[in-house]
Each structure stands twice: as structure tokens, then as C-alpha cells.
């Protein structure tokens, strides 16, 4: 098969990969829309637990620091003792007055509310009360040393105690009559307010009064003093208010008394000048009694009474006239019909008609009785019938006489109505005249009665206030006196130590959580697979070796041996991880589709050269002819890792000027002359190859060759974008079983993206706990844009410390050692093994 045919087949496979060749059985993504977006996860307790185990020293350090802080607090904080008194608040204040007035009811309603309890609670710490306690207990006599717990000889640089000013007048008093407080008393009162803590006991009307002080006896003394002084101050406040009220009411009583005298004198003078005023509403007001004006005004005067009587009579006469006229009109329409006339009320109720109707009823009863015993022709029966007929005739005559009687009554009613109307008019004129004269009198009488009512009300209040002004009662009382405390209330050693330990633990956990949140690197296999959406093909643990050399030649040897861990340390976990990588990549698809491999990374120093070199060694150990290509044209490094040998076994010193990939791309050399083969003793791990043998084929039949960078490329991107690179890879794929390419960081330069059309399998190397997530996402985005989705991720340099199980590092040190698995080589290899360093990232 010629090179052109191979390239056509190669490009066909690249543009039409089978579904099984990609993870998950999907084909090559067709756009950047397939980029995995970092999922938003909640709190991961498992991850946080392993972070704690990894940084357990931080938690221990913070906990110890919290313990020392709590011990320092206990050592520096003085002991404080707390005494406790109980105050009770009644629903109302005790009083000697049985009558309940509005003010008493309002006061009782306020005392029954929670606002009253809170008001008393706040007043128990006001500065005036505290200053009174200081004065009553004499706490300012020694400069406040007993209150503040200072010794007599203790210096106090920050304390300023001004002496009482002699110029202060002795008459200076506070609101309740006590002398004004000195600056010393006010200052000690402010200090005392910080020691007092009143608390309302829930569901009761009790107030717990707590006082804290360094001296237990002083704490007890102050607790009793605060409650006692509050009650005393409340009583003094009430007495002062009563005195002020009494003084004001005495002054008001004198003023109201003078006004009452003036009002009564004005009423008497008006009555003397206008005697007729008593006839219209004057009433008993002239006597000066309390009921005068009100009673007279309600009942009315004599003229008004007569006017009302006449008006009533006129109305009654008019009503009778109208009724009689209506009945006469009905009589005229009826005529002489006796039965119809009896339906008229005036005729039916007339005395003559009533008597005749009673006679007729009696005769009808007699006739009915006789009919039961006699027949109609019986003499008694005939006599009774005759008498009944005569009674009915008499009734008819009496009825027919009533219209004339009604006419006479109507004439009399009209005359009476006329007479009463004239009298009413005359009386109205008299009432109007008297009203004008009585207006002034009634005004004076009402004013006099108002002044008398106010005067009597003030007199009653003066008597009540004078009676209760000296009563020393209060709604607040002491329910329980303070007792002497024997144990300090603070500091509490167990509580302080527990809080210190818990605070240190919380600080340590918070620091770990904050550091974990701020850490944007990929640290675990789960994170790598979840964030990038790619399988982790291998997890390479970190290998540390403290031995380091100083000479330049020894540095070269160390770099070679520490890079080639698959060959130099085959029993180690690093070599086993690369064998896992070899197995993972071999299972991705058919062999023809997995011949050209490329390893890249997002950023420099993530281990892509280390990964590609050891993966190529693992393939050579399996029996493949492997070509390792240094595709990083800007910073080639493989020529320093592997010392090539000529066909006679002579070592070729590492030199970047030797023919390499750049010479092949520019046409200065061909592939056969640029490739350098590596001796089998530097590749084989089975011990079948002697150190002095000049052999290039391993015991399994594999060969390992490298294509170094060669001369420095002036234009790497242009060289890789041309057809030369594709032809070079096609030739290498024809001559070798596997081609492994070490490339440049994909974010730093565009060289790796230009290689994508010519490789079959791309693997992304991510350095654990260092590579940022956004950089890994950016690299994956660029690869997908170039049309090459990575087959998976190699998580390099996983930490080997506490919490290591979280990082999915399961290698067991020494598993299978001494049982024939990857036996150690003897001789010069043991000597070269000394002094190795850990150079795992290039």
C-alpha cells in the first residue's frame, strides 16, 4: 500500500468514525454545543469530609487555638457573683378611697398590661435610680472601690474623680426633693446600671432582679437596695405629685369660690330689678340651690303653664266641633231611620237613648221568658208584648229628639272655641313679653349653677387628695429578698472551654470549607468525569523522592529515570496506572482505529510529556513497535528523556540540533534518518536483557523509537498546517504499530489544534488539584471545535496523603512483590536508581 492510499483511508476513518469508537457509543460531535457545562451541585458531605481528613491539621490547630483562647479568657476574667431578688407588681395600687374614679380605673388598666411591666423593667436601670442607690448605700464615700471591686491601694490611671464643688448651692435639688447628685455619684450610677439586669418572668407579674458584682456580699446588698430604692422613689414621686396637685386645687378652689359669689350676686340683683322673671322659668333658681335653674327651666314659668293649658283647651274644642259637624251631616243624610241613627256615636251614647235601649232589652228578656211558659194569646203574654211595643216607640222618639240636641251642643262648642282662641292669643302676647325679660335671668342662673358644680367638684377632690397624700403605698413590692451567692456566676470554666473548642472547630471547618469553595481545580475522578463529561482513563498518583543531585550530568540521568517510571519502577503504582491507561485505550475500538495517539493538556506543566513517554513505554513492553513523536515544536523535551543509540549501541548525547521532526517537515531529513531507537535494556522490565547487551528488541518483541524535535522551528504553526505533517504521520503509521505524539498545551498555542485531523485518539491530561476548571473547559471546547472529542482524561499527580481514598487511588504498595511479578533488575540498574527525583510534569 502506498502512502497516498494510506492517507486516503486514514482521512476516511477520521471523518467517519464508527459509533463504537467513542465513549458512550456516540459519534464525533458536530459543534461546540456538545461541550459539557459544569453542573451546579449542592453541598457534598462526602467531598467535604475527605477535605477535612486531608486538612485535619487545620482543624486541630484551630481547635487548640480556641482552647488556649478560652483558657486565657478564664485566666484574665475576674470572678463575678450574682444575687437575685424578686419584685411583684399588683394589678392596682392600694387606696383608702372606696369610690372608683376614671383616673383610678385608667391606672389599674395600665398596671394590668404588659407595657407596665416593661416600663418598670426599664426604670429599674435608669441612672437616677442608680445614683439614689449609690447615695443611700454610701458607695461614693470610698471613691467607688467597694462597688467596682478595687483595692484601696490599686492605682487607677483612667479614673477621674472630681471633688465635689464647694460652690454648688445647697439648695440644688432633683425632681423629688433630694439633693442633686454629684459627678461621682452619677459616674458610679452608670457603672451600677451595667451590673443590674431586670427580667420579667414569663406568664407572671414577677420581675427577677439580678445584680452582678465581684463581691458576693456587695451583690446581695445591691440587689436589695435597688428594689428598696425603686419602691421608695415611686412613693416619693407619688407624694410629690399629690402635693403639686393639692396646691393647684387649693388655688383653683379660691378662684371658683370668688366666681360663684359673683354669679349668685348677679342673679339676686337681676331678680330684684325684674320680678316678673319668676313667672317664666325663674323657678327655684332665685334661692341659689343646685336644682333651681334646671328644675325651673324644665317645668316652665306660670305664664307658660297657662299658655299650654289654653292651647290644649282650644285644641279639644276644635276637635269636638269638627266631630259634631260630621255627625250632623250624617244625620241629615239618614233622616228618620231609627236603626241608622243608632249607629252614630253621639246619639247612641246619649243618656236618654241609653236608658230607652236598656228598657227595650229588659222587655225583650221578659217576653222571651214568658214565651217558654205561655202561648201568644195568654193575657200575660199579650201584656208583655204591649209593653215591649211601648218601649220601642219610646226609644224611637228619644232617637228622633237627639239631632236637635246635637245642634244645640254644636252651637255651644263653636262659642267656646272662639272664646278660648281669644284667650290663647292674649296669653301668647304676655308670654312673649315675659320671655324677653327672663332671658338674662336664665343665663345668670345657669352660670351660677355651673360655678357651684365646679366649686363642689374641686372641694371633693381636695378632700380625697388631702386624705391620701401621706399614704405610703405602691403597686410594686418585694416578693423575695436577695440571698448571699456562694458560687461565681461567671466565668463558667466548662462553658468557656466548650465554647472555645466549638469555636475553634467551627473556625477550622469554615476555613476548610472556604478554601474548598475557592479552589477551582479538579481534584477527584468524580469531579473530572462530572465536569468534563469524559471518562477518566487513568489516575496517576504523585511520586515523591527527596533525593536530588546537583551536577548537570546527574540531572540528566535523574530526568531520564524519573520520567521512565514504567521501565525504572515497574512495581510502583505509577507504572500500574499507565498499564491501566494502555488497557483502557486498547478497549476503545478496533486496532486499526487506535494506532495514532496524541496527548495534550490545557496548560503547561500538567504532565503530558510524562504521560506520553510512559504510555509509549507501556506499549513497547507489550510487544508493539512504538514511535514517540515530540510534537511540541516550541519547547521540545523528549530528547532529554531518552538517550538514543546508533546501530552499534553507542549512546547519542541529547542535542536539540540533531535531526528531528522539524527537519522532516522542512524536507532536510526523512523519517528513517531522524528516528532514534532506544536500547531494549532501557525499555524491558523482565530482566531478560542484560545491561551490556546491544539489543533494540525487547523480550516481548517490541521496539521503542523516538522522533525528537530537532532544530528550532521558526514557524511551528505554518509547518504543522501544511501537508508535510500529515504525510509524516502516515509514514510513521505504516512503519510502526503505534504512534504516540506529545503535543503543546492547547490553550497556550494553536499547534495542537493543527494536528487534530491526522490523529485517531486524543487524550486530555489534567493535573489534579492544580488545573483550573475553566481552563479544562476551554481546552475541551477548542478540541471539539477542531472536530476531535477526547477519548478520555488522564488525571495526573493525584495526592498521596490523608483522604486519599477520596481521590480514587486504590494502588496497594508492594502488592505481588517477591512473588515474581515485575522482578527488580540487578547491577547497574540498582546503582542508577539511587538519587532519583520526582519530575512528573513537563
Amino acid at each position: 500500500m502506498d502512502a497516498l492510499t494510506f492517507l486516503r483511508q486514514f482521512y476516511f476513518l477520521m471523518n467517519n468514525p464508527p459509533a463504537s469508537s467513542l465513549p458512550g457509543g456516540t459519534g464525533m460531535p458536530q459543534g461546540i454545543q456538545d461541550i459539557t457545562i459544569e453542573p451546579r451541585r449542592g453541598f457534598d458531605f462526602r467531598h467535604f469530609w475527605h477535605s477535612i481528613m486531608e486538612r485535619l491539621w487545620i482543624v486541630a490547630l484551630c481547635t487548640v487555638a480556641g482552647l488556649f483562647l478560652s483558657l486565657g479568657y478564664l485566666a484574665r476574667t475576674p470572678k463575678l457573683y450574682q444575687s437575685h431578688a424578686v419584685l411583684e407588681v399588683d394589678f392596682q395600687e392600694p387606696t383608702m378611697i372606696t369610690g372608683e374614679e376614671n383616673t383610678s380605673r385608667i391606672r389599674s388598666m395600665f398596671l394590668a398590661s404588659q407595657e407596665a411591666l416593661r416600663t418598670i423593667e426599664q426604670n429599674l436601670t435608669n441612672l437616677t435610680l442608680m445614683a439614689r442607690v449609690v447615695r443611700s448605700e454610701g458607695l461614693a464615700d470610698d471613691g467607688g472601690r467597694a462597688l467596682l471591686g478595687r483595692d484601696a491601694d490599686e492605682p487607677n490611671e483612667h479614673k477621674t474623680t472630681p471633688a465635689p464643688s464647694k460652690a454648688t448651692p445647697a439648695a440644688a435639688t432633683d425632681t423629688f426633693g433630694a439633693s442633686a447628685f454629684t459627678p461621682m455619684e452619677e459616674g458610679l450610677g452608670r457603672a451600677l446600671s451595667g451590673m443590674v439586669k431586670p427580667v420579667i418572668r414569663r406568664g407572671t407579674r414577677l420581675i427577677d432582679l439580678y445584680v452582678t458584682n465581684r463581691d458576693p456580699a456587695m451583690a446581695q446588698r445591691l440587689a436589695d437596695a435597688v428594689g428598696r430604692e425603686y419602691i421608695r422613689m415611686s412613693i416619693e414621686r407619688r407624694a410629690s405629685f399629690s402635693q403639686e396637685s393639692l396646691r393647684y386645687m387649693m388655688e383653683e378652689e379660691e378662684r371658683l369660690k370668688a366666681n360663684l359669689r359673683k354669679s349668685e350676686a348677679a342673679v339676686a340683683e337681676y331678680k330684684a330689678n325684674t320680678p316678673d322673671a319668676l313667672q317664666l322659668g325663674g323657678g327655684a333658681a332665685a334661692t341659689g340651690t343646685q336644682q333651681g335653674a334646671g328644675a325651673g327651666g324644665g317645668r316652665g314659668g306660670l305664664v307658660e303653664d297657662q299658655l299650654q293649658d289654653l292651647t290644649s283647651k282650644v285644641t279639644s274644642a276644635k276637635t269636638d266641633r269638627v266631630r259634631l259637624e260630621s255627625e250632623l251631616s250624617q244625620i241629615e243624610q239618614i233622616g228618620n231611620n231609627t236603626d241608622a241613627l243608632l249607629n252614630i256615636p253621639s246619639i247612641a251614647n246619649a243618656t236618654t237613648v241609653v236608658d230607652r235601649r236598656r228598657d227595650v232589652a229588659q222587655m225583650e228578656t221578659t217576653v222571651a221568658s214568658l214565651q217558654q211558659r205561655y202561648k201568644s194569646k195568654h193575657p200575660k203574654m199579650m201584656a208583655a208584648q204591649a209593653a215591649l211595643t211601648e218601649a220601642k216607640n219610646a226609644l224611637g222618639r228619644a232617637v228622633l229628639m237627639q239631632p236637635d240636641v246635637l245642634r244645640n251642643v254644636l252651637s255651644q262648642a263653636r262659642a267656646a272655641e272662639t272664646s278660648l282662641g281669644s284667650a290663647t292669643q292674649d296669653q301668647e302676647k304676655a308670654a312673649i313679653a315675659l320671655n324677653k325679660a327672663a332671658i338674662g335671668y336664665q343665663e345668670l342662673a345657669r352660670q351660677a349653677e355651673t360655678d357651684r358644680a365646679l366649686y363642689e367638684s374641686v372641694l371633693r377632690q381636695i378632700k380625697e387628695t388631702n386624705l391620701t397624700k401621706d399614704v405610703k403605698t405602691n403597686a410594686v413590692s418585694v416578693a423575695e429578698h436577695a440571698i448571699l451567692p456562694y458560687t461565681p456566676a461567671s466565668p463558667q470554666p466548662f462553658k468557656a472551654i466548650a465554647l472555645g473548642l466549638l469555636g475553634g472547630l467551627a473556625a477550622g471547618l469554615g476555613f476548610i470549607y472556604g478554601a474548598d469553595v475557592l479552589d477551582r481545580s479538579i481534584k477527584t475522578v468524580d469531579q473530572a468525569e462530572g465536569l468534563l463529561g469524559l471518562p477518566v482513563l487513568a489516575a496517576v498518583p504523585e511520586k515523591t523522592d527527596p533525593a536530588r543531585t546537583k551536577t548537570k550530568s546527574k540531572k540528566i540521568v535523574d530526568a531520564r529515570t524519573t520520567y521512565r517510571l514504567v521501565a525504572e519502577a515497574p512495581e510502583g503504582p505509577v507504572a500500574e496506572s499507565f498499564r491501566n491507561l494502555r488497557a483502557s485505550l486498547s478497549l476503545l475500538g478496533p486496532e486499526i482505529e487506535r494506532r495514532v495517539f496524541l496527548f495534550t493538556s490545557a496548560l503547561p506543566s500538567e504532565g503530558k510529556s510524562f504521560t506520553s513517554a510512559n504510555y509509549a513505554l507501556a506499549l513497547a513492553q507489550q510487544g508493539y513497535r512504538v514511535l514517540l513523536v515530540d510534537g511540541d515544536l516550541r519547547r521540545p523535551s523528549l530528547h532529554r528523556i531518552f538517550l538514543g543509540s546508533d546501530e552499534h549501541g553507542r549512546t547519542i548525547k541529547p542535542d536539540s540540533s540533531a535531526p528531528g521532526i522539524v527537519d522532516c517537515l522542512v524536507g532536510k531529513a526523512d523519517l528513517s534518518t531522524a528516528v532514534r531507537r532506544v536500547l531494549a535494556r532501557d525499555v524491558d522490565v523482565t530482566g531478560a536483557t542484560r545491561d551490556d547487551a546491544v539489543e533494540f528488541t525487547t523480550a516481548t518483541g517490541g521496539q521503542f523509537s523516538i522522533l525528537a524535535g530537532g532544530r528550532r522551528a521558526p514557524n511551528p504553526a505554518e509547518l504543522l498546517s501544511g501537508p508535510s505533517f500529515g504525510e509524516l504521520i502516515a509514514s510513521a503509521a505504516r512503519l510502526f504499530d503505534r504512534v504516540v505524539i506529545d503535543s503543546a498545551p492547547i490553550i497556550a498555542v494553536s499547534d495542537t489544534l493543527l494536528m487534530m485531523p491526522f490523529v485517531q485518539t486524543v487524550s486530555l491530561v489534567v493535573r489534579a488539584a492544580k488545573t483550573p476548571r475553566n481552563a479544562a473547559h476551554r481546552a475541551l471546547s477548542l478540541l471539539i471545535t477542531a472536530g476531535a472529542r477526547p477519548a478520555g482524561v488522564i488525571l495526573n499527580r493525584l495526592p498521596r496523603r490523608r483522604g486519599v481514598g477520596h481521590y480514587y487511588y486504590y494502588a496497594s504498595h508492594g502488592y505481588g512483590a517477591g512473588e515474581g511479578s515485575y522482578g527488580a533488575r540487578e547491577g547497574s540498574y540498582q546503582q542508577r536508581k539511587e538519587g532519583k527525583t520526582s519530575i512528573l510534569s513537563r
Side-chain angles (χ1 to χ4, degrees):
M1 181 185 298
D2 57 1
L4 183 58
T5 304
F6 181 82
L7 282 175
R8 289 177 179 176
Q9 182 179 3
F10 181 80
Y11 292 151
F12 176 81
L13 290 175
M14 285 301 302
N15 295 325
N16 300 277
S20 61
S21 64
L22 293 176
T26 58
M28 184 70 69
Q30 298 299 323
I32 197 171
Q33 64 271 16
D34 293 337
I35 298 176
T36 303
I37 303 300
E38 179 180 350
R40 292 187 179 180
R41 300 181 180 179
F43 179 74
D44 189 354
F45 180 78
R46 175 174 170 272
H47 174 76
F48 184 59
W49 170 255
H50 285 282
S51 297
I52 293 174
M53 297 302 296
E54 181 183 353
R55 302 183 178 93
L56 192 59
W57 63 272
I58 297 178
V59 178
L61 182 62
C62 292
T63 305
V64 171
L67 176 61
F68 278 104
L69 288 177
S70 61
L71 294 177
Y73 167 77
L74 293 175
R76 294 178 59 88
T77 304
K79 293 182 180 181
L80 299 178
Y81 294 85
Q82 188 177 76
S83 186
H84 171 220
V86 181
L87 304 180
E88 182 178 1
V89 182
D90 295 331
F91 284 97
Q92 61 182 3
E93 293 180 345
T95 179
M96 298 178 62
I97 305 299
T98 57
E100 187 177 16
E101 298 182 354
N102 292 332
T103 55
S104 299
R105 288 196 299 269
I106 295 174
R107 178 66 177 171
S108 299
M109 291 174 60
F110 174 73
L111 289 174
S113 64
Q114 286 295 322
E115 286 75 8
L117 294 177
R118 285 192 286 269
T119 301
I120 296 173
E121 179 188 22
Q122 296 297 321
N123 284 333
L124 285 171
T125 56
N126 66 61
L127 296 181
T128 302
L129 176 61
M130 298 298 102
R132 286 175 61 97
V133 173
V134 171
R135 172 173 293 183
S136 64
E137 298 297 321
L139 299 177
D141 297 341
D142 60 348
R145 291 183 177 88
L147 175 64
L148 301 178
R150 297 193 181 97
D151 297 334
D153 55 349
E154 180 181 354
N156 187 9
E157 299 177 357
H158 302 285
K159 177 181 174 183
T160 57
T161 309
S165 176
K166 296 182 179 180
T168 303
T173 58
D174 62 4
T175 308
F176 309 115
S179 301
F181 300 114
T182 63
M184 170 65 74
E185 292 173 341
E186 293 178 353
L188 293 179
R190 283 190 291 269
L192 178 58
S193 64
M195 305 177 186
V196 178
K197 181 182 178 182
V199 179
I200 299 175
R201 190 177 297 181
R202 195 168 190 177
T204 65
R205 302 191 60 78
L206 301 177
I207 299 178
D208 295 310
L209 185 62
Y210 298 97
V211 179
T212 305
N213 195 272
R214 296 184 181 184
D215 184 6
M218 179 60 68
Q220 178 191 18
R221 174 184 172 188
L222 291 176
D224 287 333
V226 170
R228 182 177 64 253
E229 286 300 319
Y230 176 79
I231 296 174
R232 185 179 300 172
M233 186 178 69
S234 300
I235 293 174
E236 291 178 1
R237 183 190 293 114
R238 181 176 179 179
S240 175
F241 178 77
S242 298
Q243 291 289 345
E244 293 293 329
S245 301
L246 184 61
R247 181 183 60 79
Y248 171 76
M249 286 188 292
M250 293 295 292
E251 295 176 357
E252 191 68 13
E253 186 265 342
E254 294 293 335
R255 185 182 66 82
L256 292 176
K257 186 176 181 180
N259 292 340
L260 178 60
R261 289 176 179 176
K262 292 180 181 179
S263 300
E264 290 180 346
V267 170
E269 182 180 359
Y270 192 88
K271 183 177 66 174
N273 296 334
T274 313
D276 296 337
L278 290 175
Q279 301 180 11
L280 187 66
T287 63
T289 63
Q290 187 175 355
Q291 301 177 354
R299 183 178 57 83
L302 298 177
V303 177
E304 291 179 350
D305 295 340
Q306 294 176 2
L307 180 60
Q308 286 182 347
D309 186 31
L310 288 174
T311 303
S312 300
K313 291 180 180 180
V314 170
T315 302
S316 177
K318 187 180 294 185
T319 302
D320 293 340
R321 177 181 60 79
V322 173
R323 180 178 57 78
L324 292 173
E325 289 177 351
S326 176
E327 290 180 349
L328 287 175
S329 177
Q330 292 180 6
I331 291 172
E332 291 176 356
Q333 293 178 1
I334 293 173
N336 296 326
N337 189 350
T338 306
D339 295 334
L341 291 174
L342 286 174
N343 294 327
I344 297 174
S346 296
I347 295 177
N349 296 328
T351 304
T352 305
V353 175
V354 171
D355 293 340
R356 301 286 83 78
R357 294 182 69 176
R358 185 172 58 254
D359 294 341
V360 170
Q362 290 177 357
M363 291 307 299
E364 288 179 347
T365 302
T366 303
V367 171
S369 176
L370 291 175
Q371 282 180 350
Q372 295 178 359
R373 291 183 293 173
Y374 303 105
K375 294 184 179 180
S376 60
K377 298 297 183 180
H378 193 275
K380 290 184 179 182
M381 187 65 183
M382 295 177 63
Q385 289 286 351
L388 177 60
T389 302
E390 181 62 27
K392 290 182 178 179
N393 293 332
L395 176 61
R397 289 192 298 272
V399 170
L400 294 176
M401 291 175 58
Q402 291 304 314
D404 296 333
V405 176
L406 291 177
R407 291 186 182 93
N408 293 332
V409 173
L410 177 61
S411 300
Q412 295 175 3
R414 289 174 177 171
E417 181 183 1
T418 303
S419 176
L420 290 172
S422 300
T424 301
Q425 292 178 358
D426 295 339
Q427 193 68 20
E428 287 178 351
K429 293 178 181 179
I432 292 172
L434 290 176
N435 261 335
K436 293 180 181 180
I439 291 175
Y441 174 78
Q442 291 178 352
E443 291 180 355
L444 292 175
R446 284 194 296 271
Q447 182 63 38
E449 290 304 319
T450 301
D451 292 341
R452 179 174 294 277
L454 291 174
Y455 177 72
E456 292 178 353
S457 175
V458 170
L459 283 180
R460 184 170 60 256
Q461 292 182 12
I462 289 174
K463 292 178 181 179
E464 293 177 357
T465 304
N466 193 32
L467 182 64
T468 60
K469 66 178 181 178
D470 296 328
V471 177
K472 297 181 179 181
T473 59
N474 192 263
V476 180
S477 60
V478 178
E480 180 181 341
H481 289 279
I483 61 176
L484 183 66
Y486 294 99
T487 58
S490 68
Q492 301 177 4
F494 293 104
K495 183 178 179 180
I497 293 175
L499 290 178
L501 293 175
L502 291 177
L505 179 62
L509 295 178
F511 181 81
I512 292 176
Y513 180 76
D516 191 63
V517 170
L518 295 177
D519 187 4
R520 304 300 298 169
S521 63
I522 300 174
K523 297 184 291 185
T524 67
V525 173
D526 283 345
Q527 286 183 353
E529 292 181 346
L531 297 174
L532 302 178
L534 297 174
V536 175
L537 302 175
V540 182
E542 185 174 11
K543 182 180 183 301
T544 58
D545 194 342
R548 297 178 181 271
T549 57
K550 297 182 179 180
T551 62
K552 183 177 180 180
S553 60
K554 288 184 178 181
K555 285 184 180 180
I556 296 174
V557 175
D558 289 340
R560 293 171 54 217
T561 56
T562 54
Y563 260 77
R564 303 181 314 194
L565 294 179
V566 173
E568 301 294 341
E571 290 185 337
V574 177
E576 191 62 36
S577 64
F578 282 106
R579 284 190 283 270
N580 292 336
L581 175 62
R582 180 182 66 190
S584 299
L585 292 177
S586 66
L587 297 175
L588 291 179
E591 183 177 357
I592 192 174
E593 300 171 6
R594 301 297 175 188
R595 297 185 61 186
V596 181
F597 301 88
L598 183 140
F599 292 90
T600 186
S601 63
L603 301 172
S605 301
E606 295 195 50
K608 60 186 184 308
S609 300
F610 170 74
T611 303
S612 58
N614 283 276
Y615 175 67
L617 286 171
L619 291 175
Q621 292 173 0
Q622 197 174 11
Y624 292 105
R625 293 176 300 163
V626 182
L627 175 63
L628 178 58
V629 180
D630 194 349
D632 190 354
L633 304 185
R634 301 174 188 264
R635 293 180 60 185
S637 60
L638 294 181
H639 64 280
R640 293 194 296 267
I641 301 174
F642 296 96
L643 298 179
S645 302
D646 57 15
E647 56 187 12
H648 301 291
R650 293 190 297 270
T651 301
I652 300 176
K653 294 182 179 181
D655 187 2
S656 60
S657 63
I661 185 173
V662 177
D663 299 275
C664 295
L665 293 178
V666 299
K668 297 296 184 180
D670 56 5
L671 183 61
S672 60
T673 59
V675 170
R676 293 290 181 264
R677 293 186 296 174
V678 179
L679 290 174
R681 65 170 179 260
D682 294 331
V683 179
D684 203 354
V685 297
T686 61
T689 305
R690 300 192 312 271
D691 291 343
D692 56 351
V694 182
E695 295 181 5
F696 295 99
T697 303
T698 62
T700 57
Q703 294 181 1
F704 186 81
S705 304
I706 64 170
L707 179 60
R711 67 175 66 184
R712 185 175 184 83
N715 50 352
E718 287 73 12
L719 290 177
L720 295 175
S721 63
S724 300
F725 182 76
E727 296 175 355
L728 177 63
I729 297 301
S731 300
R734 186 174 61 253
L735 297 176
F736 296 90
D737 298 329
R738 296 290 185 269
V739 178
V740 181
I741 303 175
D742 177 27
S743 62
I746 194 170
I747 295 181
V749 293
S750 63
D751 299 357
T752 304
L753 297 177
L754 299 175
M755 301 179 185
M756 290 300 108
F758 309 105
V759 298
Q760 293 176 307
T761 303
V762 179
S763 297
L764 183 64
V765 179
V766 175
R767 182 172 175 179
K770 182 178 180 181
T771 303
R773 301 178 186 180
N774 55 350
H777 278 293
R778 176 62 178 166
L780 182 59
S781 172
L782 293 175
L783 289 174
I784 294 177
T785 305
R789 183 181 180 88
V793 177
I794 294 93
L795 199 58
N796 188 32
R797 298 191 68 175
L798 278 172
R800 299 176 61 185
R801 51 182 180 268
R802 185 180 295 272
V804 71
H806 180 53
Y807 293 90
Y808 279 24
Y809 171 57
Y810 298 115
S812 178
H813 301 289
Y815 179 75
E819 299 180 6
S821 59
Y822 298 102
R825 293 156 58 185
E826 301 176 355
S828 60
Y829 166 67
Q830 295 293 340
Q831 298 175 358
R832 291 197 306 270
K833 189 177 179 181
E834 298 177 357
K836 294 179 182 178
T837 58
S838 176
I839 307 175
L840 301 181
S841 57
R842 274 289 301 176

